[in-house]
Amino acid sequence: MRRHVLLFGLMAGVVVAVLQLIEYRWLVLAHSMEIYGALIAAVAAGVGIWLGFKLTRPAERVVVREVLVPAPTEFVRDRGQVATLGLTPRELEILEFIAAGLSNREIAERAFVSENTVKTHSGRVFDKLGVRRRTQAVQRGKELGLIP
Amino acid sequence: MRRHVLLFGLMAGVVVAVLQLIEYRWLVLAHSMEIYGALIAAVAAGVGIWLGFKLTRPAERVVVREVLVPAPTEFVRDRGQVATLGLTPRELEILEFIAAGLSNREIAERAFVSENTVKTHSGRVFDKLGVRRRTQAVQRGKELGLIP
DNA sequence: TCGCGCGTCACCCGAACGGGTGATTTTGGC
DNA sequence: GCCAAAATCACCCGTTCGGGTGACGCGCGA
């Protein structure tokens, strides 16, 4: 910007000098004032327009257009639902195992508890989810944002 | 655009007239040429700059920026998987019912077949999916894009 | 017309599941 | 330390599920 102003000043000076030089040569006429002024005005206006272009060109207006792109959102557990349903961490864990397609026995092995314990937990989960089968529990759990 | 040019010509004329008027009043000096020229140049350049702004402002550049937004893609069944697994339409239907958390009896009612038939279908589905329980079948079915 | 895939149904049996009840231990907060 | 919640385990009983086998009918293409 500052460079532009300096450049403009320099050019203006040059223009004036050139015009005066020309005048000293053959433009020594009595009423040359109008022509002289018009010339200067025209040249200066040209420079101004060019300057205007220079100044405004970088001023791009950025228009942001949002495009919907399918983005897989990673799972975030709905803590509110967990709280309102009163699900304990252990019960949620068992629900995840159930959703993974494990049998009660397999869950018992991975959770290091007895099969009876797993049955107790899963039963409580069914109660709290208001379902009667593990497949329903899985479906409901996903609906409620309890499991991925 | 044409209006702009006309306006510029008019203004230039006015400026020259005003300047001449001023000169007739009190600017009748021998070497007032430099001041006069500089004045005209400055005013004309200002007008030019303004014109430049006017001319170039509509030059907007549209930048399209893609923004990732969680967009739920509606389910499309993977026909390739269905074909390679050799799943029949009826079996897919039963798989959907299973995923919905229905018991064999409930599925039998909704599909207007006997419970035994449902068991046959579901057994075949388990075979083809390589699983041994309905919860596993649901999980696998979702993995393979067979069910939503 | 024969075979094949598909859908249908039946029976049996063992395993898994779900419901109910009761009990003990662990844990965390007051 | 005490209390409540959570977690643990057990037993019984009925239901559901899954595996295996066998069978019948229908439609379609070789």
Side-chain angles (χ1 to χ4, degrees):
Chain A
M1 187 57 173
R2 182 170 301 173
R3 222 180 48 195
H4 282 153
V5 174
L6 277 173
L7 197 65
F8 173 66
L10 190 69
M11 290 192 68
V14 168
V15 165
V16 169
V18 165
L19 286 179
Q20 284 200 338
L21 198 69
I22 290 172
E23 186 215 20
Y24 283 143
R25 285 269 178 77
W26 53 274
L27 251 180
V28 201
L29 298 172
H31 57 288
S32 69
M33 218 46 183
E34 292 83 350
I35 303 176
Y36 191 40
L39 263 177
I40 289 184
V43 172
V47 172
I49 289 179
W50 172 79
L51 243 182
F53 269 90
K54 271 287 178 196
L55 287 176
T56 55
R57 200 182 51 178
E60 297 177 343
R61 182 166 301 180
V62 177
V63 178
V64 176
R65 190 185 305 162
E66 289 200 350
V67 178
L68 287 185
V69 175
T73 328
E74 83 276 32
F75 171 68
V76 179
R77 172 159 293 138
D78 189 337
R79 300 177 185 282
Q81 283 292 353
V82 175
T84 57
L85 293 173
L87 284 168
T88 71
R90 199 56 160 168
E91 287 163 358
L92 268 178
E93 199 182 339
I94 267 65
L95 178 56
E96 286 174 355
F97 279 128
I98 290 177
L102 302 182
S103 69
N104 285 340
R105 181 163 305 175
E106 288 167 337
I107 296 173
E109 288 170 6
R110 307 206 187 185
F112 305 106
V113 293
S114 82
E115 194 178 341
N116 287 312
T117 304
V118 174
K119 288 176 65 178
T120 305
H121 283 312
S122 60
R124 283 207 253 270
V125 171
F126 299 155
D127 274 352
K128 294 178 180 177
L129 292 186
V131 299
R132 306 180 60 76
R133 277 180 292 282
R134 46 180 56 218
T135 44
Q136 284 182 338
V138 172
Q139 219 222 358
R140 192 117 187 78
K142 297 198 184 230
E143 280 178 13
L144 299 176
L146 303 174
I147 47 179
Chain B
M1 184 58 171
R2 184 169 299 174
R3 221 180 48 194
H4 283 153
V5 173
L6 277 175
L7 197 64
F8 173 65
L10 190 69
M11 287 192 69
V14 168
V15 165
V16 169
V18 166
L19 285 177
Q20 285 199 336
L21 197 70
I22 288 172
E23 186 213 20
Y24 285 142
R25 284 269 178 79
W26 52 274
L27 251 180
V28 202
L29 298 170
H31 57 286
S32 69
M33 218 47 182
E34 291 85 350
I35 303 176
Y36 190 42
L39 264 177
I40 289 183
V43 171
V47 173
I49 290 177
W50 171 78
L51 243 182
F53 269 90
K54 273 287 178 196
L55 288 176
T56 56
R57 201 180 50 179
E60 291 183 349
R61 180 158 302 183
V62 176
V63 177
V64 177
R65 189 190 306 166
E66 289 199 348
V67 179
L68 286 184
V69 173
T73 328
E74 84 276 31
F75 172 69
V76 179
R77 172 160 293 139
D78 189 337
R79 300 177 185 280
Q81 283 292 353
V82 175
T84 57
L85 293 173
L87 284 168
T88 70
R90 199 56 160 166
E91 287 162 358
L92 268 179
E93 197 181 342
I94 267 64
L95 178 56
E96 286 174 354
F97 280 129
I98 289 178
L102 301 183
S103 70
N104 286 338
R105 181 162 304 176
E106 289 166 339
I107 296 173
E109 287 171 6
R110 309 206 186 185
F112 304 106
V113 294
S114 83
E115 194 178 340
N116 288 313
T117 304
V118 175
K119 288 176 64 177
T120 304
H121 283 313
S122 61
R124 284 207 252 269
V125 170
F126 299 155
D127 273 352
K128 294 179 181 178
L129 291 186
V131 299
R132 306 182 59 76
R133 277 180 293 282
R134 46 179 58 216
T135 44
Q136 285 182 337
V138 172
Q139 220 221 357
R140 191 119 187 77
K142 298 199 183 228
E143 280 178 14
L144 299 175
L146 304 174
I147 46 180

